[in-house]
Amino acid sequence: MKVLGRIIFYGILLILILLSRETIVELVVDRYTFSGEVEPPINNEYTVPTNMSHFLSSHETDVFWADSYDHLFEIIFMVVNSGQDEFTFYCTKEYDRCFHDLGRITQDQQTLTYINNFVHPYNTYEKLNIEFDDSSRRVVLKISKLYSDDEINKLETEIDTLIAKVTNNGMSVREKIKAVHDEILENSIYDRARADSIINRSEFDINNQSHKATGPILYGQAICGGYSDALAIVLHKFGIPNYRISNDEHIWNYVYLNNSWYHIDLTWNNPSTHDGQELIIETYF
């Protein structure tokens, strides 16, 4: 009789466990997974301060538990702008579409370009990798940078030398920008072969030097991505608010000076003639 009673008791207990297994799993997850505050990413020396423009300040957050698409975007933007290679944050339980929206952000090329346009070129990325744990709601963001440490070191040396060569303390900020603009174009040419390969869709490799500041500064040739990155680096050194504007075919610089925003396009100021002659103009300065 006692044996039968125990069998009935354990049978009932097993049924109750099976019926409430989802609740038990939730209790275990809540008890043994992280549920506290997440420290913000640590900024590196190339982080663009959010007070440099309204756009940057509108994408600032101090809460790293994403609860919507916009909030998720803000977190990812801040991490990229900080220059960190890896960062862990969380999604709230109520945010059911978190994993879906992570895919939208990391797979949409326009969104990726949009983020890169507003951060320092040295903090731009080639690829975002996401690890998502549905049980803990943990997101691990891993960033593959566009510029290597070696490229940054070489660029810093060359650009500092360039600035020292063509500017002095007696010049206005506008005159300094124009002097750097002219020097870059004097010592580089538009990479027509690279541009044609993109137009013909034969290849697209963002790591090609002509797409980066290394092109005009270190190798003497570039397309619009390389020219705009090179100027952006200089503008940040001058402490001038700026970002890059892009569409499907082109990218150029947008610069805040004397309480106004101005467009500067090094690419269009370096046209080629039909006979292959390289010109330097200032129509788009």
Side-chain angles (χ1 to χ4, degrees), residues 43-48 79-84 116 119-126 143-147 152:
N43 294 333
N44 69 5
E45 60 184 304
Y46 304 114
T47 299
V48 179
V79 175
V80 174
N81 188 38
S82 75
Q84 295 301 303
N116 275 342
V119 304
H120 192 291
Y122 293 157
N123 284 344
T124 56
Y125 62 90
E126 176 189 3
I143 301 172
S144 299
K145 296 288 188 63
L146 185 58
Y147 289 87
I152 291 173

Side-chain angles (χ1 to χ4, degrees), residues 198-211:
I198 296 172
I199 293 172
N200 296 329
R201 300 181 181 228
S202 58
E203 62 169 323
F204 183 85
D205 176 14
I206 196 171
N207 271 305
N208 183 283
Q209 300 299 339
S210 291
H211 288 269

Side-chain angles (χ1 to χ4, degrees), residues 241-254:
N242 72 95
Y243 54 89
R244 284 147 289 166
I245 298 177
S246 63
N247 56 32
D248 291 340
E249 298 177 349
H250 193 46
I251 181 167
W252 64 99
N253 301 88
Y254 201 42

Side-chain angles (χ1 to χ4, degrees), residues 27 55 82 160 173 182 214 221 227 277:
L27 288 172
F55 171 84
S82 75
D160 286 345
V173 175
D182 292 351
T214 48
Q221 63 179 15
Y227 280 130
Q277 182 182 359

Side-chain angles (χ1 to χ4, degrees), residues 213-268:
T214 48
I217 301 299
L218 302 181
Y219 301 101
Q221 63 179 15
I223 59 174
C224 54
Y227 280 130
S228 59
D229 270 17
L231 185 59
I233 293 168
V234 173
L235 293 169
H236 282 297
K237 284 181 176 291
F238 289 161
I240 300 172
N242 72 95
Y243 54 89
R244 284 147 289 166
I245 298 177
S246 63
N247 56 32
D248 291 340
E249 298 177 349
H250 193 46
I251 181 167
W252 64 99
N253 301 88
Y254 201 42
V255 184
Y256 189 72
L257 187 64
N258 299 328
N259 299 315
S260 296
W261 284 96
Y262 297 92
H263 298 269
I264 302 181
D265 193 328
L266 272 73
T267 306
W268 282 12

Side-chain angles (χ1 to χ4, degrees), residues 122 145-153 212:
Y122 293 157
K145 296 288 188 63
L146 185 58
Y147 289 87
S148 69
D149 290 341
D150 182 59
E151 287 175 327
I152 291 173
N153 290 334
K212 306 194 289 186

